[in-house]
Amino acid sequence: MEKFSNLVVETILNRSSVRSYKSDQIDGEALSVILKCGLRAPNGWNHQPWDIVYVQDKTFLDELNFAITSDSNNSVFYHAPTVVFISGNRDDEYYAADCPLAAENMVIAAASIGIGSCIIAYLSNFLNSQAGQVYKERLSIPENYEVCIAVALGHPTVPMHPHSSRDESKIRRY
Ligand SMILES: Cc1cc2nc3c(=O)[nH]c(=O)nc-3n(C[C@H](O)[C@H](O)[C@H](O)COP(=O)(O)O)c2cc1C
């Protein structure tokens, strides 16, 4: 294993979801790198069928959270200062695969530069419902796009470490 260890492998093996963030905003250049890595994700036919919008407006995020949870203390975004919403074009064959791949690239890039992240799907049902339409419009998400996933980003309150285990028996050889 050691022979093939490098920064990418180490980052992937050590990443974990972060669910507690400091309130200070992440660096703009760091965000640009993360978003750029999202765009570089493999995607079907290179159609890039996504719409990616990042939100740093706390008032908006708090309002959306309350609309989803009816609770201002518990945040579906874990009070992260930046949330990236990734939506996919329903007319595209592979948008449902492509959007999470962009999210995955973002969380790995974030981890590699010490920024915490959490992929969040919990909000997509709400945002794609009639009640969520107003928020999609405020974010200027195109008409025929479905909100697939979001990525919360911020500085972790505690150091990141891989805390969830993986079942290696899920890998089989045929
Ligand atoms: C498709 C998808 C949806 C997820 N939705 C949520 C979510 O809504 N809320 C949340 O706290 N974590 C969410 N997660 C994060 C997972 O819970 C997390 O990746 C998993 O528990 C493994 O932990 P790790 O990321 O720390 O390795 C989601 C992850 C994926 C890939």
Side-chain angles (χ1 to χ4, degrees), residues 42-92:
N43 63 95
W45 302 106
N46 198 25
H47 281 174
Q48 305 169 54
W50 41 52
D51 173 81
I52 300 171
V53 56
Y54 68 90
V55 179
Q56 299 185 315
D57 179 341
K58 186 176 172 342
T59 309
F60 179 92
L61 292 174
D62 287 348
E63 206 185 308
L64 174 57
N65 178 62
F66 193 79
I68 297 170
T69 63
S70 305
D71 180 353
S72 47
N73 294 319
N74 292 312
S75 164
V76 291
F77 311 114
Y78 304 102
H79 305 287
T82 296
V83 180
V84 183
F85 295 83
I86 307 172
S87 307
N89 184 345
R90 288 193 178 100
D91 288 336
D92 193 275

Side-chain angles (χ1 to χ4, degrees), residues 56-174:
Q56 299 185 315
D57 179 341
K58 186 176 172 342
T59 309
F60 179 92
L61 292 174
D62 287 348
E63 206 185 308
L64 174 57
N65 178 62
F66 193 79
I68 297 170
T69 63
S70 305
D71 180 353
S72 47
N73 294 319
N74 292 312
S75 164
V76 291
F77 311 114
Y78 304 102
H79 305 287
T82 296
V83 180
V84 183
F85 295 83
I86 307 172
S87 307
N89 184 345
R90 288 193 178 100
D91 288 336
D92 193 275
E93 194 178 355
Y94 297 122
Y95 80 92
D98 295 339
C99 291
L101 288 171
E104 170 71 347
N105 263 20
M106 287 184 204
V107 300
I108 293 168
S112 76
I113 54 178
I115 292 183
S117 68
C118 188
I119 289 180
I120 298 164
Y122 184 71
L123 42 73
S124 48
N125 278 350
F126 172 80
L127 280 171
N128 294 314
S129 72
Q130 196 59 40
Q133 189 57 29
V134 61
Y135 295 94
K136 279 178 78 177
E137 282 169 16
R138 283 169 67 184
L139 292 173
S140 302
I141 293 170
E143 187 85 14
N144 198 33
Y145 280 55
E146 179 180 315
V147 179
C148 292
I149 215 137
V151 180
L153 295 167
H155 298 290
T157 56
V158 288
M160 280 183 276
H161 59 90
H163 44 70
S164 53
S165 60
R166 295 295 192 265
D167 178 358
E168 304 222 348
S169 73
K170 297 276 182 182
I171 300 173
R172 298 183 299 109
R173 178 176 180 173
Y174 170 73

